[in-house]
Coordinates of all heavy atoms in Angstrom, one line a residue:
D1 N 99.0 13.3 -75.5 CA 100.3 14.0 -75.5 C 101.4 13.1 -75.0 O 101.2 11.9 -74.8 CB 100.1 15.2 -74.5 CG 99.9 14.8 -73.1 OD1 99.9 13.6 -72.8 OD2 99.8 15.7 -72.2
L2 N 102.6 13.6 -74.9 CA 103.8 12.8 -74.6 C 103.7 12.0 -73.3 O 104.0 10.9 -73.2 CB 105.0 13.6 -74.7 CG 106.4 12.9 -74.4 CD1 106.7 11.9 -75.6 CD2 107.5 13.9 -74.1
G3 N 103.2 12.8 -72.3 CA 103.1 12.2 -70.9 C 102.1 11.0 -70.9 O 102.4 9.9 -70.4
A4 N 100.9 11.2 -71.6 CA 99.9 10.1 -71.7 C 100.4 8.9 -72.5 O 100.3 7.8 -72.0 CB 98.6 10.7 -72.3
E5 N 101.1 9.2 -73.5 CA 101.7 8.1 -74.4 C 102.8 7.4 -73.6 O 102.7 6.1 -73.6 CB 102.3 8.8 -75.6 CG 102.8 7.8 -76.7 CD 104.2 8.2 -77.1 OE1 104.4 9.3 -77.7 OE2 105.1 7.4 -76.8
R6 N 103.7 8.0 -73.0 CA 104.7 7.3 -72.2 C 104.1 6.6 -71.0 O 104.6 5.4 -70.8 CB 105.7 8.4 -71.6 CG 106.7 8.9 -72.7 CD 107.7 7.9 -73.1 NE 108.7 8.6 -74.0 CZ 108.6 8.7 -75.3 NH1 107.5 8.2 -75.9 NH2 109.5 9.3 -76.0
Y7 N 103.2 7.2 -70.4 CA 102.6 6.5 -69.2 C 101.9 5.2 -69.7 O 102.1 4.2 -69.0 CB 101.6 7.4 -68.5 CG 101.1 6.7 -67.2 CD1 101.8 6.9 -66.1 CD2 100.0 5.9 -67.2 CE1 101.4 6.2 -64.8 CE2 99.5 5.3 -66.0 CZ 100.3 5.4 -64.9 OH 99.9 4.8 -63.8
A8 N 101.2 5.2 -70.7 CA 100.4 4.1 -71.2 C 101.4 3.0 -71.6 O 101.2 1.8 -71.3 CB 99.5 4.4 -72.4
K9 N 102.5 3.3 -72.2 CA 103.5 2.4 -72.7 C 104.4 1.8 -71.6 O 104.7 0.6 -71.6 CB 104.3 3.0 -73.8 CG 105.2 2.1 -74.6 CD 105.8 2.9 -75.7 CE 107.0 2.1 -76.3 NZ 107.8 3.0 -77.2
L10 N 104.8 2.7 -70.7 CA 105.9 2.3 -69.7 C 105.4 2.1 -68.3 O 106.2 1.5 -67.5 CB 107.0 3.4 -69.7 CG 107.7 3.6 -71.1 CD1 108.5 4.8 -70.9 CD2 108.5 2.4 -71.5
C11 N 104.3 2.6 -67.9 CA 104.0 2.7 -66.5 C 102.7 2.0 -66.1 O 102.6 1.4 -65.0 CB 103.9 4.1 -66.0 SG 105.1 5.3 -66.8
K12 N 101.8 2.0 -67.0 CA 100.4 1.6 -66.7 C 100.4 0.1 -66.2 O 99.6 -0.2 -65.3 CB 99.5 1.8 -67.9 CG 98.0 1.5 -67.7 CD 97.3 1.8 -69.0 CE 97.2 0.6 -69.9 NZ 96.3 0.8 -71.0
S13 N 101.2 -0.7 -66.8 CA 101.2 -2.1 -66.5 C 101.4 -2.4 -64.9 O 100.8 -3.4 -64.4 CB 102.2 -3.0 -67.3 OG 103.4 -2.5 -67.0
C14 N 102.2 -1.6 -64.3 CA 102.5 -1.7 -62.9 C 101.6 -0.8 -62.0 O 101.1 -1.2 -61.0 CB 103.9 -1.4 -62.6 SG 105.1 -2.7 -63.1
H15 N 101.4 0.5 -62.4 CA 100.7 1.4 -61.6 C 99.3 1.6 -61.8 O 98.6 2.3 -61.1 CB 101.5 2.8 -61.7 CG 102.9 2.8 -61.1 ND1 103.1 2.9 -59.7 CD2 104.1 2.7 -61.6 CE1 104.4 2.9 -59.5 NE2 105.1 2.7 -60.7
G16 N 98.8 1.0 -62.9 CA 97.4 1.1 -63.2 C 97.0 2.3 -64.1 O 97.8 3.3 -64.1
A17 N 96.0 2.2 -64.8 CA 95.6 3.3 -65.8 C 95.5 4.7 -65.2 O 95.9 5.6 -65.8 CB 94.3 2.9 -66.5
D18 N 95.0 4.7 -63.9 CA 94.9 6.1 -63.3 C 95.8 6.2 -62.1 O 95.6 7.0 -61.2 CB 93.5 6.2 -62.9 CG 93.0 5.3 -61.8 OD1 93.7 4.3 -61.5 OD2 91.9 5.6 -61.2
G19 N 96.9 5.4 -62.1 CA 97.9 5.5 -60.9 C 97.4 5.0 -59.6 O 98.0 5.3 -58.6
S20 N 96.3 4.2 -59.6 CA 95.7 3.9 -58.3 C 96.1 2.5 -57.7 O 95.8 2.2 -56.6 CB 94.1 4.0 -58.3 OG 93.7 3.0 -59.3
N21 N 97.0 1.9 -58.5 CA 97.4 0.5 -58.0 C 98.4 0.7 -56.8 O 99.5 1.3 -57.1 CB 98.1 -0.3 -59.1 CG 98.5 -1.7 -58.7 OD1 98.2 -2.1 -57.6 ND2 99.3 -2.4 -59.5
A22 N 98.1 0.2 -55.7 CA 98.9 0.3 -54.5 C 99.8 -0.9 -54.3 O 100.6 -1.0 -53.3 CB 98.1 0.6 -53.3
A23 N 99.7 -1.9 -55.2 CA 100.4 -3.1 -55.0 C 101.9 -3.0 -55.2 O 102.7 -3.7 -54.6 CB 99.8 -4.3 -55.9
M24 N 102.3 -2.1 -56.1 CA 103.8 -2.0 -56.5 C 104.4 -1.0 -55.6 O 105.6 -1.0 -55.3 CB 103.9 -1.4 -57.9 CG 103.5 -2.5 -58.9 SD 104.9 -3.7 -59.1 CE 104.0 -5.0 -59.9
S25 N 103.7 0.0 -55.1 CA 104.3 1.1 -54.3 C 103.0 1.8 -53.7 O 101.9 1.3 -53.8 CB 105.1 2.0 -55.1 OG 104.3 2.7 -56.1
K26 N 103.2 2.9 -53.1 CA 102.0 3.7 -52.8 C 101.4 4.2 -54.1 O 102.1 4.3 -55.1 CB 102.4 4.8 -51.8 CG 103.3 5.9 -52.5 CD 103.6 7.0 -51.4 CE 104.7 7.9 -51.9 NZ 105.2 8.8 -50.9
P27 N 100.1 4.4 -54.1 CA 99.5 4.9 -55.3 C 100.1 6.2 -55.9 O 100.5 7.0 -55.1 CB 98.0 5.1 -55.0 CG 97.8 4.5 -53.7 CD 99.1 4.4 -53.0
L28 N 100.3 6.3 -57.2 CA 100.8 7.5 -57.8 C 99.7 8.6 -57.8 O 100.0 9.8 -57.7 CB 101.3 7.3 -59.2 CG 102.4 6.2 -59.4 CD1 102.8 6.2 -60.9 CD2 103.5 6.5 -58.6
K29 N 98.4 8.1 -57.9 CA 97.3 9.1 -57.8 C 97.4 9.9 -56.5 O 97.5 9.3 -55.5 CB 96.1 8.2 -57.8 CG 94.8 9.0 -58.1 CD 93.6 8.0 -58.0 CE 92.3 8.7 -58.2 NZ 91.8 8.9 -59.5
G30 N 97.4 11.2 -56.7 CA 97.4 12.1 -55.5 C 98.8 12.7 -55.3 O 99.0 13.6 -54.5
L31 N 99.8 12.1 -56.0 CA 101.2 12.7 -55.8 C 101.3 14.0 -56.6 O 101.0 14.0 -57.8 CB 102.3 11.7 -56.3 CG 102.8 10.6 -55.5 CD1 104.0 10.0 -56.2 CD2 103.3 11.1 -54.1
P32 N 101.8 15.1 -56.0 CA 102.0 16.3 -56.8 C 103.1 16.1 -57.9 O 104.0 15.3 -57.7 CB 102.6 17.3 -55.8 CG 102.2 16.7 -54.4 CD 102.1 15.2 -54.6
A33 N 103.0 16.8 -59.0 CA 103.9 16.6 -60.1 C 105.3 16.8 -59.7 O 106.2 16.1 -60.1 CB 103.6 17.7 -61.2
E34 N 105.6 17.7 -58.8 CA 106.9 18.0 -58.3 C 107.5 16.8 -57.6 O 108.7 16.5 -57.8 CB 106.9 19.2 -57.4 CG 108.3 19.9 -57.3 CD 108.9 20.3 -58.6 OE1 108.1 20.8 -59.5 OE2 110.1 20.1 -58.8
D35 N 106.8 16.0 -56.8 CA 107.2 14.8 -56.2 C 107.5 13.7 -57.2 O 108.4 12.9 -57.0 CB 106.2 14.3 -55.1 CG 106.0 15.3 -54.0 OD1 106.6 16.4 -54.0 OD2 105.3 15.0 -53.0
V36 N 106.7 13.6 -58.2 CA 106.9 12.6 -59.2 C 108.2 12.9 -59.9 O 109.0 12.0 -60.1 CB 105.7 12.6 -60.2 CG1 106.1 11.6 -61.4 CG2 104.4 12.3 -59.6
K37 N 108.4 14.1 -60.2 CA 109.7 14.5 -60.9 C 110.9 14.2 -60.0 O 111.9 13.6 -60.5 CB 109.6 16.0 -61.3 CG 110.8 16.5 -62.0 CD 110.6 17.9 -62.4 CE 112.0 18.5 -62.9 NZ 111.9 19.9 -63.3
T38 N 110.9 14.6 -58.7 CA 111.9 14.3 -57.9 C 112.2 12.8 -57.8 O 113.4 12.4 -57.8 CB 111.6 14.8 -56.4 OG1 111.4 16.2 -56.5 CG2 112.7 14.5 -55.4
A39 N 111.2 12.0 -57.7 CA 111.3 10.5 -57.6 C 112.0 10.0 -58.9 O 112.9 9.2 -58.8 CB 110.0 9.9 -57.4
L40 N 111.4 10.4 -60.1 CA 111.9 9.9 -61.4 C 113.4 10.3 -61.6 O 114.2 9.4 -62.0 CB 111.1 10.3 -62.5 CG 109.6 9.7 -62.5 CD1 108.9 10.3 -63.7 CD2 109.7 8.2 -62.6
L41 N 113.7 11.5 -61.3 CA 115.1 11.9 -61.4 C 116.0 11.1 -60.4 O 117.1 10.7 -60.8 CB 115.3 13.4 -61.1 CG 114.7 14.3 -62.2 CD1 114.7 15.8 -61.7 CD2 115.6 14.3 -63.5
G42 N 115.5 10.9 -59.2 CA 116.3 10.1 -58.2 C 116.5 8.7 -58.6 O 117.6 8.2 -58.5
Y43 N 115.4 8.1 -59.2 CA 115.6 6.7 -59.6 C 116.7 6.7 -60.8 O 117.5 5.7 -60.8 CB 114.3 6.1 -60.1 CG 113.3 5.7 -59.1 CD1 112.0 6.2 -59.0 CD2 113.7 4.8 -58.1 CE1 111.1 5.8 -58.0 CE2 112.7 4.4 -57.0 CZ 111.5 4.9 -57.1 OH 110.5 4.6 -56.1
K44 N 116.5 7.6 -61.7 CA 117.4 7.7 -62.8 C 118.9 7.8 -62.3 O 119.9 7.2 -62.9 CB 117.1 8.8 -63.8 CG 117.9 8.8 -65.0 CD 117.4 9.9 -66.0 CE 118.3 10.0 -67.2 NZ 117.8 11.1 -68.1
E45 N 119.2 8.7 -61.3 CA 120.5 8.9 -60.8 C 120.8 7.9 -59.7 O 121.9 8.0 -59.1 CB 120.5 10.3 -60.1 CG 120.1 11.4 -61.0 CD 121.1 11.7 -62.2 OE1 122.3 11.5 -62.0 OE2 120.6 12.0 -63.3
Q46 N 119.9 7.0 -59.4 CA 120.1 5.9 -58.3 C 120.4 6.5 -57.0 O 121.3 6.1 -56.2 CB 121.3 5.0 -58.7 CG 120.9 4.3 -60.1 CD 121.8 3.1 -60.4 OE1 122.7 2.8 -59.6 NE2 121.5 2.4 -61.5
T47 N 119.7 7.6 -56.7 CA 119.8 8.3 -55.4 C 118.5 8.3 -54.6 O 118.4 9.0 -53.6 CB 120.2 9.8 -55.5 OG1 119.3 10.4 -56.4 CG2 121.6 9.9 -56.1
Y48 N 117.5 7.6 -55.0 CA 116.2 7.6 -54.4 C 115.6 6.2 -54.4 O 115.9 5.4 -55.3 CB 115.3 8.5 -55.3 CG 113.9 8.6 -54.8 CD1 113.5 9.6 -53.9 CD2 112.8 7.7 -55.2 CE1 112.2 9.8 -53.4 CE2 111.5 7.8 -54.7 CZ 111.2 8.8 -53.8 OH 109.9 9.0 -53.4
G49 N 114.7 6.0 -53.4 CA 113.9 4.7 -53.5 C 113.9 3.9 -52.3 O 114.6 4.1 -51.3
G50 N 113.1 2.9 -52.4 CA 112.9 1.9 -51.3 C 113.4 0.5 -51.7 O 114.2 0.5 -52.6
K51 N 112.8 -0.5 -51.1 CA 113.3 -1.8 -51.3 C 113.2 -2.3 -52.8 O 113.9 -3.2 -53.2 CB 112.5 -2.8 -50.4 CG 112.9 -2.8 -49.0 CD 112.2 -3.8 -48.1 CE 112.5 -3.7 -46.7 NZ 111.5 -4.3 -45.8
K52 N 112.2 -1.8 -53.4 CA 111.9 -2.2 -54.8 C 112.4 -1.2 -55.8 O 112.0 -1.2 -56.9 CB 110.4 -2.5 -55.0 CG 109.9 -3.6 -54.1 CD 108.4 -3.8 -54.4 CE 107.7 -4.7 -53.4 NZ 106.3 -4.7 -53.6
K53 N 113.4 -0.4 -55.4 CA 113.8 0.6 -56.3 C 114.5 0.1 -57.7 O 114.4 0.8 -58.7 CB 114.8 1.6 -55.7 CG 116.1 0.9 -55.3 CD 117.0 1.9 -54.5 CE 118.3 1.3 -54.2 NZ 119.2 2.1 -53.4
A54 N 115.0 -1.1 -57.6 CA 115.6 -1.6 -58.9 C 114.6 -1.7 -60.0 O 114.9 -1.5 -61.2 CB 116.1 -3.0 -58.6
M55 N 113.3 -1.9 -59.7 CA 112.3 -2.0 -60.7 C 112.1 -0.7 -61.4 O 111.9 -0.6 -62.5 CB 110.9 -2.5 -60.1 CG 111.0 -3.9 -59.7 SD 109.5 -4.4 -58.7 CE 108.3 -4.8 -59.9
M56 N 112.2 0.4 -60.6 CA 112.1 1.8 -61.2 C 113.3 2.2 -61.8 O 113.3 3.0 -62.8 CB 111.6 2.7 -60.0 CG 110.1 2.7 -59.7 SD 109.1 2.9 -61.1 CE 109.6 4.5 -61.7
E57 N 114.4 1.8 -61.3 CA 115.7 2.3 -61.9 C 115.8 1.8 -63.4 O 116.3 2.5 -64.2 CB 116.9 1.8 -61.1 CG 117.1 2.5 -59.8 CD 118.1 2.0 -58.8 OE1 118.6 0.9 -59.1 OE2 118.4 2.6 -57.8
R58 N 115.3 0.6 -63.5 CA 115.3 -0.1 -64.9 C 114.5 0.8 -65.9 O 115.0 0.9 -67.0 CB 114.8 -1.5 -64.8 CG 115.2 -2.4 -65.9 CD 114.8 -3.9 -65.5 NE 115.5 -4.4 -64.3 CZ 114.9 -5.0 -63.3 NH1 113.6 -5.2 -63.3 NH2 115.5 -5.4 -62.3
V59 N 113.4 1.3 -65.4 CA 112.5 2.0 -66.4 C 113.1 3.5 -66.5 O 113.1 4.1 -67.5 CB 111.1 1.9 -66.1 CG1 110.7 2.3 -64.8 CG2 110.2 2.7 -67.1
A60 N 113.5 4.1 -65.3 CA 113.8 5.5 -65.3 C 115.1 5.8 -66.1 O 115.2 6.9 -66.6 CB 114.0 5.9 -63.8
K61 N 116.0 4.8 -66.2 CA 117.2 5.1 -66.9 C 117.0 5.4 -68.4 O 117.8 6.0 -69.0 CB 118.3 4.0 -66.7 CG 118.0 2.7 -67.4 CD 119.1 1.7 -67.1 CE 118.8 0.4 -67.7 NZ 119.7 -0.7 -67.2
S62 N 115.9 4.9 -68.9 CA 115.5 5.2 -70.3 C 114.8 6.5 -70.6 O 114.5 6.8 -71.7 CB 114.8 4.0 -70.9 OG 113.4 4.1 -70.4
L63 N 114.4 7.2 -69.5 CA 113.6 8.4 -69.6 C 114.5 9.6 -69.9 O 115.5 9.9 -69.1 CB 112.8 8.6 -68.4 CG 111.8 7.5 -68.0 CD1 111.2 7.8 -66.6 CD2 110.7 7.3 -69.0
S64 N 114.2 10.5 -70.9 CA 114.8 11.8 -71.1 C 114.2 12.8 -70.1 O 113.1 12.6 -69.5 CB 114.6 12.2 -72.5 OG 113.2 12.5 -72.7
D65 N 114.9 13.9 -70.0 CA 114.4 15.0 -69.2 C 113.0 15.4 -69.6 O 112.1 15.7 -68.9 CB 115.3 16.2 -69.2 CG 116.6 16.0 -68.4 OD1 116.7 15.0 -67.7 OD2 117.5 16.8 -68.5
E66 N 112.8 15.4 -71.0 CA 111.4 15.8 -71.5 C 110.4 14.7 -71.1 O 109.3 15.1 -70.8 CB 111.6 15.9 -73.0 CG 110.4 16.4 -73.8 CD 110.5 16.3 -75.3 OE1 111.4 15.6 -75.8 OE2 109.6 16.8 -75.9
D67 N 110.8 13.5 -71.2 CA 109.8 12.4 -70.7 C 109.4 12.6 -69.3 O 108.3 12.5 -68.9 CB 110.5 11.0 -70.8 CG 110.8 10.5 -72.2 OD1 110.1 10.9 -73.2 OD2 111.8 9.7 -72.4
I68 N 110.4 12.9 -68.4 CA 110.2 13.1 -67.0 C 109.3 14.2 -66.7 O 108.3 14.1 -65.9 CB 111.5 13.2 -66.2 CG1 112.3 11.8 -66.3 CG2 111.3 13.7 -64.8 CD1 113.6 11.8 -65.6
E69 N 109.5 15.4 -67.4 CA 108.6 16.5 -67.3 C 107.2 16.2 -67.7 O 106.2 16.5 -66.9 CB 109.1 17.7 -68.2 CG 110.3 18.4 -67.7 CD 110.0 19.3 -66.4 OE1 108.9 19.5 -66.1 OE2 111.0 19.7 -65.7
A70 N 107.0 15.5 -68.8 CA 105.8 15.1 -69.3 C 105.0 14.1 -68.4 O 103.8 14.3 -68.2 CB 105.9 14.6 -70.7
L71 N 105.8 13.2 -67.9 CA 105.1 12.2 -67.0 C 104.7 12.8 -65.7 O 103.7 12.5 -65.2 CB 106.1 11.0 -66.8 CG 106.2 10.0 -67.9 CD1 107.6 9.2 -67.8 CD2 105.1 9.1 -68.0
A72 N 105.5 13.7 -65.2 CA 105.3 14.4 -64.0 C 103.9 15.2 -64.1 O 103.1 15.1 -63.2 CB 106.4 15.3 -63.5
T73 N 103.8 15.9 -65.2 CA 102.6 16.7 -65.4 C 101.4 15.8 -65.6 O 100.3 16.0 -65.0 CB 102.8 17.6 -66.7 OG1 103.9 18.4 -66.5 CG2 101.5 18.4 -67.0
H74 N 101.6 14.7 -66.3 CA 100.5 13.7 -66.6 C 100.0 13.1 -65.2 O 98.8 13.1 -64.9 CB 100.9 12.7 -67.5 CG 99.8 11.7 -67.9 ND1 98.7 12.0 -68.6 CD2 99.7 10.4 -67.6 CE1 98.0 11.0 -68.7 NE2 98.6 9.9 -68.2
I75 N 101.0 12.6 -64.4 CA 100.6 11.9 -63.2 C 100.1 12.9 -62.1 O 99.2 12.5 -61.4 CB 101.9 11.1 -62.7 CG1 102.2 9.9 -63.7 CG2 101.7 10.5 -61.3 CD1 103.5 9.4 -63.5
G76 N 100.7 14.1 -62.2 CA 100.2 15.1 -61.1 C 98.7 15.5 -61.4 O 98.1 15.9 -60.4
A77 N 98.2 15.2 -62.5 CA 96.8 15.5 -62.8 C 95.8 14.3 -62.6 O 94.6 14.5 -62.8 CB 96.7 16.0 -64.2
F78 N 96.3 13.1 -62.1 CA 95.5 12.0 -61.8 C 94.5 12.4 -60.8 O 94.9 13.0 -59.8 CB 96.3 10.8 -61.4 CG 96.9 10.1 -62.7 CD1 98.0 9.2 -62.4 CD2 96.4 10.1 -63.9 CE1 98.6 8.5 -63.4 CE2 97.0 9.5 -64.9 CZ 98.1 8.6 -64.7
Ligands
HEM101 C1 107.6 3.7 -57.5 C2 106.5 6.3 -61.4 C3 107.0 2.3 -64.1 C4 107.0 -0.4 -60.1 C5 107.3 4.7 -58.3 C6 107.3 6.1 -57.9 C7 107.0 6.8 -59.0 C8 106.8 6.0 -60.1 C9 106.8 8.4 -59.1 C10 107.7 6.6 -56.5 C11 106.5 6.8 -55.6 C12 106.9 7.2 -54.3 O1 107.0 8.5 -54.1 O2 107.2 6.5 -53.4 C13 106.5 5.4 -62.5 C14 106.5 5.9 -63.9 C15 106.7 4.8 -64.6 C16 106.8 3.6 -63.7 C17 106.3 7.3 -64.3 C18 106.9 4.7 -66.1 C19 107.8 5.5 -66.8 C20 107.0 1.2 -63.3 C21 107.0 -0.2 -63.7 C22 107.0 -0.9 -62.6 C23 107.0 0.0 -61.4 C24 107.0 -0.6 -65.2 C25 107.0 -2.4 -62.5 C26 107.9 -3.1 -63.2 C27 107.3 0.5 -59.1 C28 107.6 0.0 -57.8 C29 107.8 1.2 -57.0 C30 107.5 2.3 -57.8 C31 107.8 -1.4 -57.3 C32 108.4 1.3 -55.6 C33 109.9 1.3 -55.7 C34 110.7 1.6 -54.4 O3 110.8 0.7 -53.6 O4 111.3 2.7 -54.3 N1 107.0 4.6 -59.6 N2 106.7 4.1 -62.5 N3 107.0 1.3 -61.9 N4 107.2 1.8 -59.1 FE1 107.0 3.0 -60.8

């Protein structure tokens, strides 16, 4: 589906296939979908994040609302 496709293409390299890579940030695995959505919208609007937020702002600015919904659902199910 769209979430799996976007995740594999845009996110996996940093966060790991199942979101368990903790080297870039805390693991995405275990985050509720609603929190993923809040974070992605915030990175896109540049109103959210920590010291490494520039890395996420770069990818989030290319995400549509549909991409964000699909990614949140996909990651929320890890
Ligand atoms: C943080 C998702 C791509 C590196 C986050 C967070 C989310 C997320 C939800 C926030 C976690 C929290 O609550 O703290 C995604 C998604 C991606 C993606 C859905 C693909 C669309 C990437 C890529 C990189 C990356 C490609 C590396 C170039 C990071 C880093 C943080 C982070 C360094 C911490 C940023 C900070 O300091 O605020 N990511 N990510 N992510 N991600 Fe990604």
Side-chain angles (χ1 to χ4, degrees):
D1 67 3
L2 181 68
E5 184 230 296
R6 288 285 187 272
Y7 187 85
K9 189 172 166 192
L10 300 172
C11 323
K12 189 175 89 168
S13 59
C14 288
H15 290 282
D18 67 346
S20 64
N21 183 11
M24 288 286 162
S25 66
K26 65 184 169 189
L28 301 184
K29 193 182 172 86
L31 276 187
E34 203 53 41
D35 293 8
V36 175
K37 184 176 166 181
T38 300
L40 293 177
L41 287 171
Y43 285 125
K44 186 176 174 181
E45 306 292 325
Q46 304 193 354
T47 56
Y48 179 92
K51 282 184 186 159
K52 298 185 193 166
K53 65 182 180 183
M55 292 168 86
M56 281 304 301
E57 287 171 355
R58 203 168 296 130
V59 59
K61 73 181 177 193
S62 72
L63 300 174
S64 67
D65 289 349
E66 188 189 11
D67 292 331
I68 289 175
E69 285 291 346
L71 282 163
T73 302
H74 182 69
I75 292 166
F78 280 160

